[in-house]
Amino acid sequence: MTTSAAPAGGDHPRRQHTAGVDPLGTLRTPEDPDCDVFLTGTVFLDIVFTGLDSAPVRGTETWARGMGSSPGGVANMATALARLGLRTSLAAAFGDDHYGEYCWDALARGEGIDLSRSRTVPGWHSPVTVSMAYDGERTMVSHGHEAPPPEGALPMCPPRARAAVASLAPGRQEAWVAEAARRDTRIFADVGWDETGRWDLAALADLEHCEAFLPNAEEAMRYTRTGCPRAAARALADKVRLAVVTLGSDGAYAVDSATGETAEVPAIAVTALDPTGAGDVFVAGFLTGTLAGWPLADRLAFAGLTAALSVQEFGGSLSAPGWVEVAAWWQYVQSCSDQDPAALRRYAFLDGLLPAPSRPWPLRRAVPTIGFRRSV
């Protein structure tokens, strides 16, 4: 099977979510790389059903009250970064079916993501995931085949970038991660469930190149053989500079081993519609604050806020908030008489960052289907 490089798509319109905010604007110099963040991985077409009263029952038909379609997989992270104003480059394979065309257009034209290192693969169909959300959880069914390797059509080395996001897996080593770190790219990493059951940190070969590692509490405790997520974070800080452990409804805890600083920020209480992509949004928020040089506690608070906003909409990339959404939320909560003043002060750092709110909260961000023929 042959592969062909797809065009980057030229200039893209200003995305509606960024509102012209550049969180790195005061730090940019002519010598900077064109790319803020580099990503690579698999793009799925996600079809998400929400509003289910329970899990589907065998032999019955279940109707959902909500539905959304969007690029998923690594596209969740790429979209979250781009909507926060970071110049994002994604290297991925796209099918040459309608799903692949839709995902390419949504990312390149809709979100302004650089796809010059991506490619369209003739005869290869897009991977698809159907996600069903209920009771704050989700069940997923996926189908796809691994894309054939590129045949010299793409550069093998990652671009110069301020940062890159790697997804670690036991026993797997990605050559691009070491190359990126050698070029002084700051590597942020997450990790999935260890299906081997060994939970061996030594098996995460690329961890040595990472500046930040962001597992959830269960993953962190299993990898460190500890019974407390905060103890797990301190143990992980022996391996990476920034160990960040997400605590679910309890927030997040972080340790900076270079300074000895620790921070813990509680979660924002919300009614979750769909948790798809919330972890990706958290990483994007924390990475943005880190590149911008914010204090550790502010980075945690911002990451938790963006993740909380994301679960109130369906879909992974569909629900990723931008500065417009954050500004609308901040204006709204400050107007509520039942808010705890001490809790509001935790987010006072937003005052110097946000654009003037252009729309009231809540905002409808998600478009529920693919390819409307006219504006709706």
Side-chain angles (χ1 to χ4, degrees), residues 300-322:
L300 279 189
F302 184 70
L305 167 60
T306 54
L309 295 181
S310 77
V311 301
Q312 297 177 72
E313 291 278 348
F314 52 68
S317 61
L318 278 178
S319 66

Side-chain angles (χ1 to χ4, degrees), residues 54-375:
S54 61
V57 177
R58 179 179 178 180
T60 66
E61 181 179 20
T62 301
W63 281 81
R65 290 187 291 274
M67 187 275 287
S69 303
S70 65
V74 71
N76 294 338
M77 180 81 71
T79 299
L81 291 163
R83 289 186 178 180
L84 293 176
L86 298 186
R87 300 168 184 173
T88 303
S89 179
L90 171 64
F94 289 77
D96 66 348
D97 51 14
H98 288 310
Y99 289 167
E101 292 174 1
Y102 161 75
C103 288
W104 184 289
D105 185 69
L107 296 174
R109 292 179 56 82
E111 305 295 345
I113 295 167
D114 170 33
L115 298 182
S116 61
R117 290 172 176 80
S118 292
R119 71 194 195 279
T120 294
V121 183
W124 182 67
H125 75 75
S126 301
V128 176
T129 291
V130 175
S131 177
M132 293 158 281
Y134 53 89
D135 294 336
E137 297 294 339
R138 58 179 176 161
T139 296
M140 296 183 292
V141 178
S142 298
H143 173 72
H145 304 280
E146 186 174 354
E151 297 176 357
L154 300 171
M156 298 304 294
C157 293
R160 284 186 63 229
R162 295 174 185 266
V165 181
S167 184
L168 305 185
R172 187 182 71 196
Q173 191 164 21
E174 302 281 359
W176 73 264
V177 174
E179 177 62 20
R182 187 184 68 80
R183 297 182 179 188
D184 296 323
T185 296
R186 303 166 72 175
I187 310 296
F188 293 70
D190 61 10
V191 69
W193 191 259
D194 184 359
E195 299 293 345
T196 71
R198 291 191 289 270
W199 299 98
D200 180 10
L201 270 179
L204 302 179
D206 288 324
L207 189 61
E208 64 175 305
H209 304 299
C210 297
E211 174 176 333
F213 184 42
L214 299 94
N216 64 35
E218 186 67 22
E219 294 159 350
M221 290 188 291
R222 286 177 179 266
Y223 270 117
T224 58
R225 308 296 193 270
T226 56
C228 167
R230 293 159 188 81
R234 292 190 292 271
L236 291 172
D238 291 335
K239 303 291 184 181
V240 293
R241 171 173 176 170
L242 292 167
V244 182
V245 175
T246 55
L247 310 174
S249 61
D250 291 330
Y253 180 80
V255 179
D256 185 334
S257 62
T259 65
E261 182 182 7
T262 63
E264 183 167 358
V265 174
I268 297 173
V270 297
T271 300
L273 173 66
D274 177 18
T276 303
D280 296 323
V281 173
F282 183 95
V283 173
F286 186 82
L287 186 156
T288 299
T290 301
L291 292 187
W294 300 350
L296 184 60
D298 289 354
R299 286 178 261 169
L300 279 189
F302 184 70
L305 167 60
T306 54
L309 295 181
S310 77
V311 301
Q312 297 177 72
E313 291 278 348
F314 52 68
S317 61
L318 278 178
S319 66
W323 293 105
V324 171
E325 288 82 10
V326 176
W329 172 85
W330 182 230
Q331 181 185 57
Y332 169 74
V333 295
Q334 291 182 96
S335 70
C336 295
S337 59
D338 60 347
Q339 295 295 313
D340 178 5
L344 286 178
R345 285 194 295 272
R346 171 61 271 165
Y347 298 91
F349 69 94
L350 294 173
D351 285 330
L353 299 169
L354 298 177
S358 58
R359 289 179 287 168
W361 179 265
L363 303 179
R364 180 178 181 271
R365 298 194 294 276
V367 176
T369 193
I370 295 174
F372 279 119
R373 295 291 184 183
R374 56 183 175 82
S375 178

Side-chain angles (χ1 to χ4, degrees), residues 31-42:
E31 293 75 32
D32 287 341
D34 293 334
C35 173
D36 291 328
V37 188
F38 172 72
L39 299 155
T40 186
T42 302

